[in-house]
Amino acid sequence: MTRESSDVILERMMALHPKIIDLTLDRMWRCLNAVGDPHLRIPPTVHVAGTNGKGSTQAMIRAGLEAAGQRVHAYTSPHLARFHERIRVAGEIIKEDRLSAYLDEVYESNDGGSITYFEITTVAAFLAFAREAADWTLLEVGLGGRHDATNVIDRPALTIVTKIDLDHQQFLGETIPEIAYQKAGIIKQGVPVVIGPQHDAALEVIEREALRFSAPQLTHGQHWHVGEENGRLIFQDESGLLDLPLPNLRGAHQIGNAGMAIAALRHLGFDEVACEGAVTNAYWPARMQRLRSGPLIDRAGNAEV
C-alpha cells in the first residue's frame, strides 16, 4: 500500500483539536506514552525559550556543535516553506519518507484523541530524534515555555532564555513579568540556564525562578559579556576572552544572540573552534537575508533586497 504524503497526514492532524493553541501538557504526556515515551531516549538537550532570537541563537549553537564534529538534532517552528524544515535529524532536514512514517505512527497511536497540531507533530519529532543517532538535541519552544509541548524534558543539559518582550499576550499575560514567568517555565531543577540581554522586569522574574530551582545562572552582563569592537565580536566570561569574526547573520541584534550561543557552547565544554563556527557558519534564511537572485532582484533595479 502506498503511504500517504506528509502533507495529507498533517491536514488530517489539524482536525484532532478545535483550537490551534491550547496550553497544557496533559495531551502531550498521553500521546508520548502511546508511542513509548521517545522523549526519554533522545540525546542531551538544549532547550531555548524567549520572545526574540530563539531561532538565530539555536542556529548558531547548531553551527558551533557541527563545527566541533557533533551530530545534532534540531526542532524549530514555524517553518518557512515546508513543514520538513522544523525537524533536522542529525543535521539534515528530515526526508519525506521518514516524516510520513513518523507522523503516521503518531497519528495511529493517538487513536483519535484530542490533541493540537503542534503537540502531535512535536511527538513525531521526538520519535524521529529517538530513532536516529546524534550527540545533541536542540529544542526551540513554540509558544511560551511553561506549558509548551516541548517542555517535557525533565533534565536537559542546558536551558536558554533569550530576550523577552510583549508576546502573544492573549495566551501568556499582559505584562513583561507575566510573560517572563511563562518563558522561564523551561528552567529545571539544578540545570544551568543561560540568560540573554533582558528588560529589568523580565530579568527579575527569570532570576527568581532560577533561584527557586537551584539552577546555576549564566547571565548576560554578570557572568558573560559580548560586544563589537573594531569590526570584531568580543566575548568574555570567567574562562577568558574570545576575539571572533562578527556573526554572518545580519543585524546588530545578532551580537547578543551570538553571545548566548557562545555562552552555551563554552558551558558545554566546547572550544574556540566551535565558538567561531557558531558565528561564521550559522544559516537562518529569511531573517535579514540578502537576496542575490530571483524575481524580486529582477524587479529591484539597483536596490539591495
Side-chain angles (χ1 to χ4, degrees):
M1 184 177 74
T2 303
R3 184 181 299 280
E4 290 181 311
S5 73
S6 60
D7 290 340
V8 172
I9 302 169
L10 288 166
E11 188 173 347
R12 276 198 281 118
M13 287 178 167
M14 291 289 287
L16 291 173
H17 193 279
K19 295 181 182 178
I20 296 174
I21 297 172
D22 183 10
L23 298 178
T24 177
L25 288 175
D26 294 343
R27 294 180 299 272
M28 276 296 293
W29 296 125
R30 175 184 52 75
C31 191
L32 284 165
N33 183 257
V35 292
D37 292 319
H39 63 299
L40 302 179
R41 302 191 304 278
I42 65 175
T45 299
V46 176
H47 199 187
V48 186
T51 302
N52 302 313
K54 297 190 300 293
S56 297
T57 301
Q58 179 172 305
M60 286 193 241
I61 295 171
R62 179 166 59 85
L65 291 171
E66 290 175 346
Q70 302 288 286
R71 289 162 58 88
V72 185
H73 296 326
Y75 185 56
T76 62
S77 62
H79 56 275
L80 182 62
R82 300 186 71 205
F83 178 88
H84 306 60
E85 300 163 26
R86 299 185 183 210
I87 303 173
R88 283 185 174 268
V89 179
E92 300 294 331
I93 291 175
I94 193 167
K95 300 291 191 294
E96 166 64 19
D97 60 338
R98 294 294 181 91
L99 177 60
S100 296
Y102 294 137
L103 289 173
D104 206 29
E105 181 175 346
V106 176
Y107 183 86
E108 293 300 323
S109 297
N110 183 62
D111 196 26
S114 176
I115 191 166
T116 70
Y117 175 89
F118 185 72
E119 289 165 347
I120 197 168
T121 54
T122 299
V123 174
F126 283 130
L127 203 58
F129 297 159
R131 301 259 176 94
E132 306 280 346
D135 301 297
W136 296 93
T137 303
L138 306 180
L139 294 180
E140 178 188 347
V141 163
L143 176 66
R146 189 167 300 275
H147 302 295
D148 185 74
T150 61
N151 199 26
V152 293
I153 308 300
D154 286 337
R155 189 76 184 175
L158 185 69
T159 62
I160 301 174
V161 182
T162 70
K163 187 169 185 178
I164 291 170
D165 218 319
L166 295 178
D167 173 17
H168 289 99
Q169 289 157 275
Q170 67 272 42
F171 301 109
L172 304 179
E174 292 296 326
T175 68
I176 284 179
E178 288 175 320
I179 294 168
Y181 176 74
Q182 294 299 324
K183 308 280 188 182
I186 69 166
I187 295 173
K188 299 297 189 299
Q189 186 69 42
V191 175
V193 53
V194 173
I195 304 172
Q198 300 290 346
H199 297 293
D200 289 344
L203 181 59
E204 182 179 346
V205 173
I206 299 165
E207 290 183 329
R208 185 183 69 223
E209 289 299 289
L211 287 170
R212 188 159 75 92
F213 288 101
S214 302
Q217 299 172 47
L218 302 167
T219 306
H220 170 260
Q222 299 178 38
H223 306 100
W224 57 271
H225 303 264
V226 69
E228 179 181 352
E229 294 182 18
N230 301 317
R232 301 282 291 178
L233 185 142
I234 306 300
F235 178 93
Q236 186 163 16
D237 62 9
E238 63 180 15
S239 298
L241 183 144
L242 291 177
D243 183 343
L244 299 168
L246 291 176
N248 66 325
L249 300 183
R250 298 170 66 86
H253 60 289
Q254 297 294 0
I255 298 292
N257 295 337
M260 287 182 282
I262 294 167
L265 290 165
R266 297 263 272 195
H267 174 77
L268 294 173
F270 291 93
D271 61 13
E272 188 168 348
V273 170
C275 295
E276 182 161 346
V279 296
T280 58
N281 298 342
Y283 178 62
W284 196 228
R287 285 80 171 179
M288 295 292 288
Q289 179 186 3
R290 177 182 288 168
L291 301 184
R292 301 184 184 279
S293 62
L296 288 177
I297 299 301
D298 296 339
R299 295 165 58 185
N302 294 323
E304 182 182 35
V305 179

